[in-house]
Amino acid sequence: MYQKISIYAFLITIIGIVLSYFIGLDKECLKHPIRTFVHICTLVFLEQKLTFAGAIRKLVYLLALLSFIILAVTGFYPTLIKGEHISGYLIMIHATFAPILAICLAVLAVMWAGKSIFNTKDWPWFQRFVERVTLVKINEDSSDKKSRIGQKIGFWLIIFLSLPLIMSIILSMLPYFGTYWQELFILMHRYTALVFAIVVLIHTHLIIIAQIRQ
Ligand code: HEM
């Protein structure tokens, strides 16, 4: 069951991301596929204009992304490809990169929160609603040029989902819960990991597209 749901969920997400390059604004990228690919590859480099904090934030983000990829491969490969549960070297690699991801997420939650505050550009309809209800004129937020609401929602979802993702495994290891609860916590980890992985895929796609359009 988990295997089927995961395969369908990943397929729908990847088809959706690929389709977005063929329709809408993203199709521009396809006019010059090699240039776009090279541009995407250069996104991992640190731009000279970055401040020290900006460079640290990007390095932590890249380390988080690397840990995520290793956790996703070691977690999903046995389940999706072999139809088995994680074991042996895979669980050792998984358990090694888990704290790295957890620490990176905590650092990113602090360093990226400021950039992910919702403002008037993100939801003008909400601003109009509040103005109508409170009869108070809200000043336009000129700091943010474009709405990046997709990236912001993705960021907060990742931070939010990382709690049940990590806590489920920590609770499953505590001796206070019987076998039934331990299995329930591992099931919770699996399904949270699936949603977490899909949100990270979409968030990364939105960041790449925003960078390419700059
Ligand atoms: C960050 C903290 C994480 C910790 C501490 C952690 C730890 C674990 C542990 C101990 C297991 C084995 C559970 C068992 O079957 O006994 C496991 C399984 C799994 N993990 Fe994680 N993990 C973490 C993050 C992730 C992430 C980010 C993903 C995916 C993106 C992921 C995907 C999976 C999957 C799919 C399984 C189930 C494999 C199976 O069916 O046996 N984990 N994880």
Side-chain angles (χ1 to χ4, degrees), residues 2 6 10 67-80 83-87 91 94-95 97-103 105 162 165-170 172-173 182 185-187 189-198 200:
Y2 177 68
S6 306
F10 279 124
S67 312
F68 163 76
I69 292 167
I70 293 170
L71 284 161
V73 171
T74 51
F76 288 113
Y77 171 73
T79 319
L80 302 191
E84 298 165 4
H85 287 308
I86 192 170
S87 59
I91 196 160
H94 198 82
F97 281 86
I100 300 174
L101 180 72
I103 294 164
L105 287 174
S162 62
L165 181 76
I166 299 168
M167 286 313 292
S168 55
I169 284 296
I170 292 174
S172 77
M173 292 177 183
Q182 282 181 346
F185 288 137
I186 290 170
L187 197 69
H189 180 75
R190 288 192 187 112
Y191 281 97
T192 315
L194 178 61
V195 180
F196 183 88
I198 287 168
V200 170

Side-chain angles (χ1 to χ4, degrees), residues 156-191:
W156 290 116
L157 267 179
I158 289 168
I159 299 301
F160 173 72
L161 286 167
S162 62
L163 282 175
L165 181 76
I166 299 168
M167 286 313 292
S168 55
I169 284 296
I170 292 174
L171 290 172
S172 77
M173 292 177 183
L174 296 177
Y176 313 122
F177 302 100
T179 317
Y180 168 76
W181 282 102
Q182 282 181 346
E183 279 166 8
L184 194 69
F185 288 137
I186 290 170
L187 197 69
M188 199 173 133
H189 180 75
R190 288 192 187 112
Y191 281 97

